[in-house]
Amino acid sequence: MDKPTQKAARSGRSRAKSKDGGAQPRSAPARAQEKARQAPHAQQERKQRVLAKGHPAMVDSIAGAITVKNLDLYYVIASDAQIPVKDGHGFGLYFHDCRFVGGYQMTLAGLAPVVLASTAQKGYAALFELTNPDLHSKQGRLIPKDELGIRWERILDADQTCVREIVTVQNLGHEAHDFPLTLQFGAGFEDIFNVRGLVQQNLGRAERPAWRDGRLHFVYHGADRLRRMTTIAFSPRPDASYKTMAEFQIDVPAGATRTIAVTIELKEQPEDAAADRLNQRPAATLDGLADRLQTNSEEWLERHTKLDSDSFLLNSIMDRSLRDVAMLRSELGSREYFAAGVPWFAALFGRDSLIVALEMLAFQPEIAAQTLRLLASYQGSRTDRWREEQPGKILHELRVGELARAGDVPHARFYCTVDATPLFLLLLGRHAAWTGDLDLFRELQAPVEKALDWIAKAGDDHGKGYLKYRSMSAEGLVNQGWKDSGNAIVRADGDLAKPPIALVEAQGYVFAAKLAVADLYERNGEPGRAKQLRQEADRLRRRFNHDFWCEEKSIFALALEARGRQAAVVSSNPGHALWCGIADPDKARRSVARLMRDDMFNGWGVRTLAASERRYNPVGYHLGTVWPHDNALVAAGCRQYGEDDAALRIFTAVAEAAMHFRHHRLPEAMAGFPRADFQVPVHYPVACHPQAWAAGAVPFMLTVCLGLEPDAFAKKLRIVRPRLPGFVNHIELRGLRVGKGSADLEFRRTKTGAEVDILQTSGQLTVEVGG
């Protein structure tokens, strides 16, 4: 993902209508049409700059945040159960790239409650247990600390686009107590780019907050001609209300309870639409909603391959991972995909959504097909320098917030990525291997050819060179691989690499993609096209091993910059290339050895950049941090070349890191400090959690280390050199699907590897065990 020093777009007063749902400018129709014809040049004249996904955010730490999500609705709550009523933080209630509620604080007689416990383990609900500090009643009597139990339940209802909450106050003492409980709200309707600190102000107009019929109303008129509304209802009604505060006089006898129900309803509608009547929703209990959401969650999990092991840690991480990818499901039209991460990237991202779909193929392959169809529908069709769009190119990012819809940032359809296109092809091939589905390839054959044509043209020498990038716009991302922060691609002297840049992993993706698609062409009765792609892949492999190999570093270079010069630093990126199988075996083995040295492997995983490099920074977004998904692909690269011990060491390190995070949830990234320094992983302050490809990391490493290699067309599953990490002795997989068949398998660790028992198969599936 991405970091500051990047520029992605400019913002200003004039707005051209986009073809993807953007709002009409406020100028006359003729002038609006002229501006649309002039885009993106008119956009590039704007004075206010924003950053793209080159950095998560420039805000306070969210490392301890409690996050819940239900489809497109998500809530990020501070660890003290509050949302600060101030600027400069990322907490809030979000919907469609807009923070509808940016402040929400509770006080008891003017003081904040004390948090005892909190959880968001279910994904769609958060629960906080609070108590009181020393308080004074209305009569001035002391209410001793810990005398009150306060349970604050919050459940997201995506169907109704609302949050339902119950605050239950219990008197645990022996005397009656009375005190004021106040709830204060703030709603600035900030676009996600505003929240991240990348744009300085909203473009629309907010109405003054108003109380009507016991409800608090916030209304915002966006520059995209949408009216956004937050309405907060209470049961019982507040005893007093002023500005954005609701006050309740709590009188609670000894041993008794009092409850306050709060419903926060979000709406967005065109400005010219009549205002909807608000739903009258009694919220006396959350049980019915909770039961429905729990049932939906369990039904989705039931469709996965089931895992059980003798390791509590592995079972817990896997359960958390599967629940997190379920939580990160979102929809566009009728198609599901995995949103990249909460809170910054809860949107469709080509690279992220493709990689997590690939990670989850052994457990839930259906979303991969939906993701491929969805991205094919947004495939580039023209040259648009502002959006970095080109014919055949696969989308990088799609946003639906005010700035994107108004045309003030290019993210309504943003194509600033070099690797999503080969990853699109690679996922199509891997999905076919697991499902035996050639119909999807036939359905997407035109987008496949367009993608291959884009890859050819994106290289130099008329398609005979490497896949490279150079931003088409001064406002585009400087770097366009997965390490897309502006300072991520560096040389050994510490300077930034100069474009055009050919990333080491992008060449691996192209190599693997061409081989995977060649197999599909072969099966589709087109051997000539298959042969051509295999020849192209072989030529790429031979050039790659000559040009990217850095003998003095004993590893492949991070990239080739302008004039073919190596960015000769030790980084994790070559591990992705190894996963793709492009490396010569001797160079691959030396690369694995280099990746596992102490300056790269910090005890929790492989760093993004070696500590011995000049630009190393343990809290640099891509300059020394440890990313779970990156490590999963590096581990797969180790396994590709028989370096099983290195893969298991990475697997174990990442799993042990998860042990130190809430609910065993792996974050987007961890700081790169050595494990020996603190004995716990150091939080990256603004990392997404949950984050999709981090959630998919352990399921993918499990797939890789167990040696699961599907060939659904042949109704066959090969299990090659199965290995279990040292903290697991026994694993069962049930309902592992390959094509129309399935298998139940049992793995037991031995001194030399693992034994496999085939418990059951269906659908004429054959299981072969080797190595």
Side-chain angles (χ1 to χ4, degrees), residues 515-531:
L515 291 182
V517 173
D519 182 64
L520 298 180
Y521 275 105
E522 186 83 47
R523 294 182 182 281
N524 199 45
E526 300 178 64
R529 185 64 169 129
K531 180 179 179 181

Side-chain angles (χ1 to χ4, degrees), residues 422-488:
L423 286 169
F424 171 85
L425 299 172
L426 181 54
L427 176 61
L428 180 62
R430 299 288 170 93
H431 174 267
W434 277 101
T435 64
D437 181 3
L438 201 58
D439 289 341
L440 182 62
F441 168 70
R442 290 168 177 154
E443 175 188 336
L444 298 179
Q445 194 162 353
V448 165
E449 279 297 329
K450 292 175 184 177
L452 289 167
D453 188 54
W454 178 82
I455 289 171
K457 291 177 179 177
D460 56 357
D461 300 326
H462 304 289
K464 297 180 180 179
Y466 296 115
L467 182 60
K468 298 181 179 182
Y469 64 84
R470 182 206 296 270
S471 181
M472 296 169 63
S473 166
E475 311 309 323
L477 287 170
V478 174
N479 291 314
Q480 299 181 13
W482 86 262
K483 294 179 181 176
D484 51 5
S485 52
N487 59 0

Side-chain angles (χ1 to χ4, degrees), residues 501-522:
I501 293 172
L503 293 169
V504 60
E505 75 273 18
Q507 316 318 312
Y509 299 160
V510 171
F511 172 80
K514 288 190 174 183
L515 291 182
V517 173
D519 182 64
L520 298 180
Y521 275 105
E522 186 83 47

Side-chain angles (χ1 to χ4, degrees), residues 528-541:
R529 185 64 169 129
K531 180 179 179 181
Q532 178 188 358
L533 290 170
R534 290 178 182 132
Q535 290 173 340
E536 291 174 3
D538 187 60
R539 288 195 296 269
L540 173 60
R541 180 189 60 78

Side-chain angles (χ1 to χ4, degrees), residues 8-27:
R10 297 184 179 181
S11 174
R13 293 287 181 188
S14 60
R15 300 173 191 88
K17 179 176 180 179
S18 69
K19 292 188 176 181
D20 39 60
Q24 281 282 2
R26 298 174 186 172
S27 51

